[in-house]
Amino acid sequence: MKKKLLLFLCVCLCYSACTQEKHFISDANTREVITHDFLKKQQELPQGDLFAVFQTPTLSTQEREALTFLYAYMPIGDVTDYTGAYYLENIRSAFRARQEMPWGKTIPEEIFRHFVLPVRVNNENMDESRMVFYAELKDRVKGLSLYDAVLEVNHWCHEKVIYTPSDARTSSPLASVRTAYGRCGEESTFTVAALRAVGIPARQVYTPRWAHTDDNHAWVEAWVDGQWYFLGACEPEPVLNLGWFNEPASRGMLMHTKVFGKYNGPEEVMEVTDAYTEINVIENYAPTAKSIITVTDTNGNPVEGAQVEFKIYNYAEFYSVARKKTDSTGKTFLSAGKGDMLVWATQDGKYGYRKVSFGQDHEVTITLDKTPGDAGTVSLDVVPPPVSAQLVEVTEEQRAENVRRMAAEDEIRNRYVATFYTEEKAQALAQALGTDPAQTIEYMLGSRGNWREIEAFLQTTPAEKRQTALDLLGVISAKDLRDTPAAVLSDHLNHTPPTGGELFTAYVLNPRISTELLTPYKGYFASQLGPDETLAVRNDPWLLVDWVKQNIRLKDHLNPLQIPVMPMGTWKARVADKASRDLFFIAAARSLGIPARIEPVARKIQFHAGGAWQDVDFEADIQLVHQQGKLVAAYQPVAAIDDPKYRSHFSVAKLATDGKLQTLNLRGGNRNVDMGAGNAWSGILRQPLTIDAGDYMMVTGMRMANGSVLANLSFFGVQPDQTTMIDLVMRESDDEIAVIGSFNSENRYLKADTGEEISLLQTTGRGYYIVGILGARQEPTNHALRDIAAVKGELEKWGRGMVLLFPDEQNYGRFDAHEFGALPQTITYGIDTDNRIRQEIVEQMKLSNPNALPIFIIADTFNRVVFVSQGYTIGLGEQLMHTINKL
């Protein structure tokens, strides 16, 4: 079959070259490269009849070449988990949009091929959104210019989806619509899909980590008449190149996008893989500088092929945002925003590192002079780039019209959300089914637009299994409730061997393993394995380990995005990357009634047998038991921090024998994680913690209000059966809290609940207080309020007033305090009449952008300001408390 298909494809390509039928890929050299890459992919995936679509007799030359392009660069899972008919339907829809949309013929071939045709945007679960979105959007944008069409699509996206944080799995575009919200990665994926659906070139751009604050962000760029413009996904503005993130982006150090296939554009190429070309677009947003890195050995000789990782401090770790290899002269380079990174180089078990200040350090040499096991402590002052945003002009009329439209779009979306389950309806369902009311209410409300599927799952489950069904809903993720079909849940309920025991629900019944899309794999595996095989593996799970080692071939290069291949796809192709191989093993084990998991701290693969968790190492010839020791950290509290938080103030990373780092997951309290340690030093390392023996690095960091970090790196080892004591050191600034400006505490505002005009002084009384100017339903404000809720107790203990103001009554009307958890009771809400208070803060603090919200200050009734924050800031609550504790 494989030889026939190869011959068939070659004949078709030769035929099209000899006819007048128009090519999709007009350049013969490009066509040759793509065809070569396709044939190579086909040879690497010989099993499962995965390329049958190419035998479709009705394929045109353009369709065949488009399919060849997509299949040449798809990751493994996209070949195994989706049908050829699915891709052909998407190709035909893309061609239809190019034909019917007025701008279709103006899109250059290469731009169309890389930024319209591909179905995949990043790592989302794919669906039929292109066809659905085209049907809904085509008439809405058909009479517009390309520029205005981009704006209009974003308004449509805002009708469907708003920002709400969620877990790392990226929902499909249609699932985001069904849910009516998503995190920034989902909003941007959805918006790119919508733009591409009507033939508009688009790409997701993201900063893997901010330099001035924790977290990351993703947005969209759209191609308009030869130029790339940016926009906030589902956050429409009157013009392009405008968003709440203009200023944060100007402080960014790296923005990049992964372009499907081999792309030869004008941007700096960071990496070329078998699936995508990663390009650096930081120059679109911030002043940049290039640093050339030379890696040498201890004799000063250049090291070829060393891996160089560029790391940004974020979430109390140095996170790798770019990885490069040195050339024959030992050199590599990166262009980045003008701030600090930690550059970490490794080869052959040796490593070296250095802080690099882009814009100052133009050429840097790193010597591989360290090995795992070397102890020591290093202090680093990490400085992010300064603000340098240039904002697009917007008239008051444009802004007012945009506000009016967004309010109307909120109403459209809210009418849809009103169709979701209510607590009363869920109570009635629980009564009708005889299920636990509290659980039923939680899961039905959590299902949002997926309520019909969760309702059907419960209704079709026999009465004797309904509690088990609720248990299943309790161990999958919150996002799973919002996008998993009833049939998938029923598969796991009805095909899970009833082994019982305390591990059953979490590690056998539970279909959720990592960040994969949930699929009905248990029924599938039950149909593939005979009773004798099943019994043998249940009695000796190492037989399954051996089978996976012998039968699943590893092809990591075919899945550089590390998009999880579904377990059934791995079975079918017998090819996977390492992570998907591990996923397959756990899914197969659970299907056989064997508890299995990804261990939550060091991410080891394990199954449970003989009363204990057994580590699985597929690369080892002999399975070894990991020796363990204990780690305990002593901490002397500093004024600002009584109990440092993990991944906020400190982190611990395993230093592997090859010199590479892997941050441990030491935070407890996560759903489906059996650690009960808590998220701070007192719950993790105050008492000895059992971890694998080996070499480690602890990072601590004190984030300053200006975004800089006082960091500390400590290297240590944990010996088998011994307790290692280390010091957890939080560095403090020697500077006292300074008065940075003035602000009139007699300023007046309207109380939101009564409409009474009152002064700040009358509200808060004498002493220090906090004033915040908010933007309802804007992502930076949402983050700020969640951060404030996180320090509710500390702010209430402080006891001073906090006045949170909105620009107008319309903004306040869109605000729902219940979305952010329990906020401090010391808050008073108000309206900033004519924006007088905001204007004074902007003028007195010399803020560059008066429209960037939120704005927070700490001031006192002597009119002194000691703290100011504007725009997107993670950890605002902690920054406020850091200042308050020093007052």
Side-chain angles (χ1 to χ4, degrees), residues 514-573:
S514 181
T515 59
E516 76 285 1
L517 178 70
L518 295 188
T519 54
Y521 59 78
K522 285 180 181 161
Y524 180 81
F525 287 141
S527 68
Q528 299 295 315
L529 300 174
D532 292 340
E533 296 171 297
T534 299
L535 182 61
V537 173
R538 282 181 184 171
N539 290 332
D540 183 6
W542 290 111
L543 293 175
L544 179 60
V545 176
D546 292 338
W547 188 93
V548 171
K549 290 172 66 174
Q550 295 167 15
N551 290 276
I552 304 301
R553 293 178 297 118
L554 291 183
K555 301 279 186 179
D556 281 346
H557 65 281
L558 294 182
N559 193 17
L561 274 171
Q562 296 186 328
I563 298 167
V565 182
M566 298 175 192
M568 292 181 291
T570 299
W571 173 272
K572 183 165 51 176

Side-chain angles (χ1 to χ4, degrees), residues 784-792 795 802 823-824 856 876-877 880:
L785 292 176
R786 289 188 180 91
D787 288 342
I788 287 171
V791 293
K792 172 182 181 290
L795 286 168
M802 179 184 298
L823 290 165
F856 283 87
L876 175 69
L880 291 171

Side-chain angles (χ1 to χ4, degrees), residues 453-566:
E453 296 294 327
I454 304 302
E455 180 189 71
F457 170 60
L458 291 175
Q459 288 178 333
T460 57
T461 296
E464 65 273 13
K465 284 189 173 183
R466 283 183 188 146
Q467 184 54 55
T468 306
L470 288 177
D471 293 342
L472 192 158
L473 295 179
V475 291
I476 62 176
S477 73
K479 186 172 289 179
D480 294 334
L481 290 172
R482 304 195 292 265
D483 66 2
T484 305
V488 172
L489 297 171
S490 296
D491 172 84
H492 289 276
L493 178 68
N494 296 323
H495 292 98
T496 298
T499 56
E502 61 179 275
L503 300 176
F504 171 76
T505 301
Y507 301 114
V508 179
L509 176 67
N510 187 4
R512 166 62 52 217
I513 299 170
S514 181
T515 59
E516 76 285 1
L517 178 70
L518 295 188
T519 54
Y521 59 78
K522 285 180 181 161
Y524 180 81
F525 287 141
S527 68
Q528 299 295 315
L529 300 174
D532 292 340
E533 296 171 297
T534 299
L535 182 61
V537 173
R538 282 181 184 171
N539 290 332
D540 183 6
W542 290 111
L543 293 175
L544 179 60
V545 176
D546 292 338
W547 188 93
V548 171
K549 290 172 66 174
Q550 295 167 15
N551 290 276
I552 304 301
R553 293 178 297 118
L554 291 183
K555 301 279 186 179
D556 281 346
H557 65 281
L558 294 182
N559 193 17
L561 274 171
Q562 296 186 328
I563 298 167
V565 182
M566 298 175 192

Side-chain angles (χ1 to χ4, degrees), residues 256 357 373-374 629 669:
H256 55 172
S357 298
D374 294 346

